[in-house]
Amino acid sequence: MSHSFDHTKNRSNRENMALEYILLGDLRDLLEEPPNRDTRRWLLAVLNALLDTLPSDMNDDGSEYLGEVLEEFPNWSRQVDVLHEQREELFDELYLFRNQIEQRRDLDEIAERLRQELRQWMTMLTAHQRHETRIIQMAYTMEVGAGD
């Protein structure tokens, strides 16, 4: 097996994850604030930034989701497919949250429900990211440990 993992992509992924972490912290803080026009504006800004930061269907370079992992370990395709589906669902849910907030003039009626749902979403995103990182680390470890 060749050492095909592109470490510049990993750095870019780490930078995206750091930005996501900051944005999630901002989102947590905003969810603690009383719902008003300013909170709504900032929530939309953070959600828009998250939607721009979270990769959707393809990587920035148009390559397949976790393509480097699948290239080295094609038998992991089911695990990667499950992760990809989860990722798409998380992206779609965040988009729906954003639209709910954008379409409502008054967040008072739905504020508590949105807080709970967004907190649950953040927990699911964190779990997904851990699983994604774990599969990348396993692939890298197995590739390096192969004794090329």
Side-chain angles (χ1 to χ4, degrees):
M1 278 185 209
S2 65
H3 296 287
S4 64
F5 285 100
D6 184 348
H7 297 287
T8 59
K9 282 184 188 177
N10 286 340
R11 187 173 328 124
S12 175
N13 288 342
R14 283 193 307 265
E15 290 168 0
N16 269 353
M17 287 181 78
L19 180 56
E20 288 169 19
Y21 181 79
I22 291 166
L23 290 169
L24 289 173
D26 291 345
L27 186 56
R28 279 186 190 96
D29 292 344
L30 286 166
L31 292 173
E32 298 302 319
E33 297 291 322
N36 59 41
R37 190 173 60 206
D38 287 336
T39 305
R40 181 178 171 274
R41 183 173 48 87
W42 282 109
L43 275 171
L44 287 171
V46 169
L47 291 173
N48 284 334
L50 270 171
L51 285 166
D52 288 342
T53 303
L54 287 173
S56 60
D57 195 78
M58 294 289 190
N59 293 324
D60 290 339
D61 63 359
S63 63
E64 181 180 15
Y65 175 71
L66 293 180
E68 292 178 331
V69 170
L70 290 175
E71 190 174 304
E72 292 295 321
F73 303 98
N75 58 325
W76 291 9
S77 64
R78 182 63 194 135
Q79 291 175 340
V80 170
D81 287 346
V82 168
L83 277 173
H84 185 248
E85 288 171 19
Q86 287 174 349
R87 184 167 122 175
E88 289 302 308
E89 288 172 12
L90 286 164
F91 187 86
D92 291 346
E93 285 180 34
L94 187 63
Y95 186 76
L96 290 173
F97 290 138
R98 184 218 167 274
N99 285 347
Q100 284 181 51
I101 292 169
E102 182 180 53
Q103 293 170 0
R104 299 290 290 231
R105 295 285 179 230
D106 183 16
L107 290 180
D108 286 336
E109 296 173 21
I110 64 168
E112 189 54 39
R113 181 180 55 83
L114 271 177
R115 278 187 193 108
Q116 290 173 2
E117 289 176 0
L118 279 168
R119 284 186 186 116
Q120 185 178 27
W121 181 88
M122 287 187 281
T123 301
M124 291 185 323
L125 176 66
T126 302
H128 172 80
Q129 289 172 331
R130 284 187 189 129
H131 193 179
E132 200 174 55
T133 300
R134 196 172 322 127
I135 198 168
I136 292 168
Q137 288 173 340
M138 283 176 26
Y140 183 74
T141 301
M142 290 178 77
E143 178 190 46
V144 170
D148 296 340

